[in-house]
Amino acid sequence: MKNVVVTGGSGKAGRAVVRHLLEHGYKVLNVDLAPSPDPLCHFLRADLTDFGQAVDSLRVAAGVMDRRRPFREAEAVVHLAAIPSTGLVPDALTFATNMRANYNVFSAATLFGLGRVVWASSETVYGLPYTRVVPDFAPLTEAHPLRPETGYALSKVLGEEMARQMHRWNPGTSFIGLRLSNVMDPEDYGAFPGFTAEARKFNLWGYVDGRDVGLACRLAIESSFTGADNFNVAASDTVMTKPSSSLMAEVFPGVPVAGSLGEFESLFSIDKAAKTLDFRPAYSWRDAK
């Protein structure tokens, strides 16, 4: 699958995904409301909450000719377009926007018989931010109960169910949901040493480098997986300089910790993504110069 539509390719994660795919020989069409500040591929302006525009975004891909990389027919879609977090607009608008975009893009993908939909779910499905609830255990695996606390998180939980049902209707299209941790770029890393345990407890001190999001998306496209399932995508470490076991004992003293944690090991298990998608993060803020 070398011709890929990336929705939301102008956003933080989207730019990293577009760049990674291009570097690995893919032909990419970026579909977004605004052009990317880093215009690496052909851009199509579309509002994906409108079903007709979502359908056209995949249909017209066959007619897009980027002089640098001719794009003939979409074979997969990486769906990242969304209001990316809570608190940016009223919660009801976040929910409605994300749900409609998910439905429209998923439907368009099945309409055209695309073999693969890779899409951005979220770590928030587990109960983040941890203000009213606490995790049942750590590190968090995909088996942890889902407890959406915001309209944003609820749109991700329901998006996962939507993907399961749409795959049931259309077994030829597989759906891979990536439960992304807090996406960070190298320029963000300078702030990490100043983080406090309390300030970052909202997501168990997790993050993922944007370049590793690109890697995860490519591996999901190339995977032999068929069906509809969801995978944690996070860095292998936390954002903190304090050991992970100490963080849990200090902030979540009653939460069971499975096994023996590495010194700065992430509290989001990526074992399932490693086993199924061969995902192993390549970047850590501790290695940044």
Side-chain angles (χ1 to χ4, degrees):
M1 299 182 185
K2 284 295 185 180
N3 295 324
V4 179
V5 173
V6 177
T7 75
S10 301
K12 188 174 189 178
R15 294 194 302 273
V17 171
V18 168
R19 181 178 295 278
H20 181 90
L21 292 177
L22 292 174
E23 289 172 349
H24 286 80
Y26 283 79
K27 299 177 181 69
V28 181
L29 171 66
N30 171 24
V31 177
D32 209 321
L33 284 170
S36 173
D38 190 13
L40 298 173
C41 67
H42 192 86
F43 165 71
L44 180 69
R45 188 187 308 274
D47 179 357
L48 296 172
T49 64
D50 179 273
F51 183 66
Q53 293 186 52
V55 169
D56 257 8
S57 295
L58 297 187
R59 182 183 66 81
V60 302
V64 168
M65 292 298 294
D66 183 333
R67 285 189 298 273
R68 292 165 296 181
R69 297 173 184 270
F71 191 108
R72 291 187 169 83
E73 184 175 353
E75 297 168 287
V77 59
V78 176
H79 176 45
L80 307 174
I83 295 176
S85 68
T86 190
L88 299 176
V89 298
D91 210 40
L93 180 58
T94 299
F95 175 81
T97 299
N98 292 355
M99 287 299 293
R100 288 173 66 186
N102 285 349
Y103 179 85
N104 291 345
V105 172
F106 291 1
S107 294
T110 61
L111 179 66
F112 291 112
L114 271 62
R116 186 62 47 97
V117 176
V118 179
W119 69 286
S121 187
S122 168
E123 64 185 2
T124 59
V125 299
Y126 297 119
L128 283 61
Y130 285 120
T131 52
R132 288 196 329 119
V133 300
V134 298
D136 286 6
F137 56 81
L140 291 173
T141 70
E142 290 82 356
H144 191 283
L146 304 185
R147 297 192 180 102
E149 290 289 299
T150 64
Y152 172 81
L154 183 59
S155 74
K156 299 300 184 180
V157 170
L158 297 181
E160 292 181 359
E161 181 60 26
M162 186 189 302
R164 279 190 287 271
Q165 299 303 330
M166 286 200 176
H167 170 70
R168 182 174 64 83
W169 301 344
N170 305 276
T173 301
S174 292
F175 293 80
I176 296 180
L178 303 180
R179 292 176 177 170
L180 300 177
S181 190
N182 189 183
V183 179
M184 296 288 190
D185 289 333
E187 52 266 33
D188 299 321
Y189 290 155
F192 282 24
F195 288 159
T196 65
E198 182 65 24
R200 294 291 304 190
K201 75 174 185 179
F202 71 91
N203 78 330
L204 292 183
W205 313 282
Y207 78 106
V208 62
D209 190 291
R211 293 166 292 185
D212 281 327
V213 175
L215 171 64
C217 288
R218 177 174 63 82
L219 292 173
I221 292 169
E222 296 173 354
S223 168
S224 61
F225 170 85
T226 58
D229 207 352
N230 308 290
F231 302 86
N232 291 341
V233 171
S236 58
D237 60 344
T238 69
V239 301
M240 303 299 293
T241 57
K242 182 178 289 190
S244 300
S245 57
S246 299
L247 290 168
M248 290 299 297
E250 174 187 336
V251 181
F252 298 108
V255 174
V257 176
S260 177
L261 285 175
E263 185 176 16
F264 303 115
E265 183 178 339
S266 173
L267 280 307
F268 290 91
S269 171
I270 54 175
D271 290 349
K272 182 179 176 183
K275 181 178 180 180
T276 304
L277 307 178
D278 199 30
F279 171 71
R280 292 169 180 82
Y283 297 96
S284 167
W285 73 276
R286 298 172 207 280
D287 301 327
K289 304 299 184 183

